[in-house]
Amino acid sequence: MAFFNPINWLLGLFSLDIGIDLGTANTLVNVRGKGIVINEPSWVTIDKRSRRPLAIGMAAKEMVGRTPKNVIAVRPLHDGVISEFDITQIMLEYFIGRVHEQSVVPLPKPRVVIGIPAGVTEVEKRAVYDAAMAAGARQAFLLEEPIAAALGAGLPIGETRGSMVVDIGGGTTEVAVMSMSGVVASRSLRVAGDEMDQDIIQYLRNKYNLLIGQGIAEKIKMVLGSAFPLEKEKTMEVRGRNLVTGLPETVEVSSIEIREALANSVQVIVDTVRDALDEIPPAIIGDLMDLGVCLAGGGALLQGLDRRLTEDIRLRTWVAEDPLTCVARGTGMIYEDFEDLSSYLVGLERGGRNA
């Protein structure tokens, strides 16, 4: 029988338990008992000379493309992994600190579960773990994003029947088929929301000689982007700089054009889903014919993507409830039954489990 430690029991009773979706585009923080309390862009603006942070989250994103020469706007994660360790630590400290500020009484350091892409290396796992600990966590655990997304979407991954999730974030797309609390087949690719934004930027540059920023490209994707013909096609005016004249210009762009711009990235995602399906046993295919394929992440909101996948893979594809928050909700669910669900947590080869 394990020895009862009253200090650990009190810490567990009064400390914060936090789940974090540390995304390339957005960071979401889920606090046990409160739900998602923070949902902000993963942006930090810093002073070039002193490396001092000036703004974090939404305030930093609003400065993108408008900063003076001595200030730079940085996204410290690229393709789902940390590219700027110190800035990631600063961002995590800020978000964890905001959670503490919302508490009525002072609390000890929190336990933290962080979602990570399934295809990351041991070095990349260690970077996330170290950043969380340096940011003030008492304990840090890692959870693969497709597992977190499946938990958040309510898929029965602990049952014998198979289930499938396609989690499309800002930097990565995670595809996983699960059964009996394990992963039967998985794929992780670095084609996701950011790549789609770049597709739109390149398309308008090639067709109209129009230069636009990533923020405008993201807005176009949200309004006009689609993976399947729309019942009523849309248009919108896009402002940018003409690369030939160097002057401001406005062009009208249609959803048909943007669907053409996104075609390659969408096809890569469809092909990846088909590759994963090729690996799984026929019995699980039968399960998926009943349950369908779940879309999660911000990319799941691309218009018509569920219909496109349904047509291509011959399996019903559906969008999870509030797909943007699936990973964050999944990381928070670990604390609801820590004894059983902790088996999903990812260990580090050096130093054992993240405890």
Side-chain angles (χ1 to χ4, degrees):
M1 180 180 291
F3 177 71
F4 175 72
N5 187 326
I7 296 176
N8 285 341
W9 180 80
L10 285 170
L11 283 174
L13 187 63
F14 294 106
S15 68
L16 285 168
D17 288 332
I18 298 175
I20 298 178
D21 176 8
L22 188 61
T24 304
N26 295 284
T27 296
L28 288 81
V29 180
N30 184 356
V31 178
R32 184 171 66 160
K34 295 183 179 179
I36 295 171
V37 297
I38 293 173
N39 181 357
E40 296 212 19
S42 301
W43 281 96
V44 181
T45 52
I46 60 174
D47 184 278
K48 277 186 181 180
R49 302 184 188 90
S50 65
R51 302 289 290 180
R52 181 174 60 87
L54 303 176
I56 298 171
M58 182 59 72
K61 185 177 182 180
E62 290 174 352
M63 298 179 185
V64 175
R66 299 177 173 88
T67 58
K69 292 183 179 180
N70 65 311
V71 175
I72 56 173
V74 179
R75 284 209 300 187
L77 291 104
H78 182 68
D79 291 340
V81 297
I82 292 175
S83 57
E84 298 279 354
F85 180 85
D86 293 342
I87 299 175
T88 301
Q89 178 187 328
I90 290 168
M91 188 172 71
L92 282 173
E93 282 179 355
Y94 170 74
F95 289 135
I96 291 174
R98 275 182 53 184
V99 171
H100 270 276
E101 287 173 4
Q102 295 173 10
S103 301
V104 179
V105 295
L107 294 172
K109 292 181 177 181
R111 291 189 302 176
V112 177
V113 173
I114 299 181
I116 59 170
V120 299
T121 65
E122 288 298 318
V123 172
E124 290 165 340
K125 291 177 190 174
R126 173 61 66 178
V128 175
Y129 173 80
D130 289 345
M133 295 300 290
R138 172 168 57 92
Q139 291 178 301
F141 306 92
L142 307 181
L143 178 65
E144 291 184 344
E145 286 176 358
I147 298 289
L151 287 171
L155 295 181
I157 62 176
E159 298 181 9
T160 53
R161 58 177 174 156
S163 55
M164 185 174 190
V165 65
V166 181
D167 176 31
I168 308 170
T172 61
T173 294
E174 309 282 337
V175 180
V177 180
M178 292 151 286
S179 175
M180 298 174 61
S181 301
V183 176
V184 178
S186 68
R187 290 285 189 279
S188 181
L189 67 153
R190 297 186 176 184
V191 174
D194 286 352
E195 188 75 16
M196 294 180 188
D197 294 342
Q198 291 302 317
D199 289 342
I200 293 171
I201 291 172
Q202 195 61 45
Y203 181 88
L204 295 181
R205 184 185 186 113
N206 293 341
K207 185 168 184 177
Y208 295 106
N209 288 317
L210 190 73
L211 181 63
I212 63 170
Q214 187 171 359
I216 296 175
E218 184 179 19
K219 183 178 179 181
I220 294 171
K221 178 183 67 180
M222 293 169 67
V223 175
L224 299 181
S226 64
F228 198 83
L230 304 177
E231 291 184 7
K232 186 177 181 181
E233 301 293 350
K234 309 173 186 177
T235 62
M236 69 178 288
E237 289 188 342
V238 177
R239 297 174 180 176
R241 177 162 57 87
N242 187 294
L243 291 167
V244 177
T245 65
L247 300 175
E249 186 176 341
T250 301
V251 299
E252 188 173 60
V253 180
S254 73
S255 54
I256 297 172
E257 292 174 295
I258 300 306
R259 186 161 58 250
E260 180 185 342
L262 300 176
N264 288 338
S265 291
V266 170
Q267 189 61 52
V268 169
I269 293 171
V270 171
D271 290 343
T272 302
V273 173
R274 297 179 73 166
D275 288 346
L277 289 171
D278 283 344
E279 287 187 15
I280 62 178
I284 293 182
I285 287 287
D287 295 335
L288 296 180
M289 291 177 75
D290 293 330
L291 189 60
V293 176
C294 175
L295 291 179
L301 298 173
L302 182 69
Q303 299 173 84
L305 182 58
D306 53 343
R307 294 180 63 189
R308 170 67 184 277
L309 276 168
T310 297
E311 185 175 274
D312 278 47
I313 65 176
R314 308 290 177 85
L315 290 172
R316 180 177 66 90
T317 304
W318 51 280
V319 179
E321 182 182 354
D322 196 7
L324 277 166
T325 65
C326 278
V327 171
R329 284 186 279 129
T331 57
M333 288 175 65
I334 294 293
Y335 299 114
E336 294 179 9
D337 189 359
F338 198 82
E339 288 297 318
D340 290 336
L341 296 181
S342 63
S343 61
Y344 294 124
L345 298 174
V346 178
L348 298 174
E349 289 185 358
R350 296 183 180 180
R353 183 157 309 272
N354 312 320

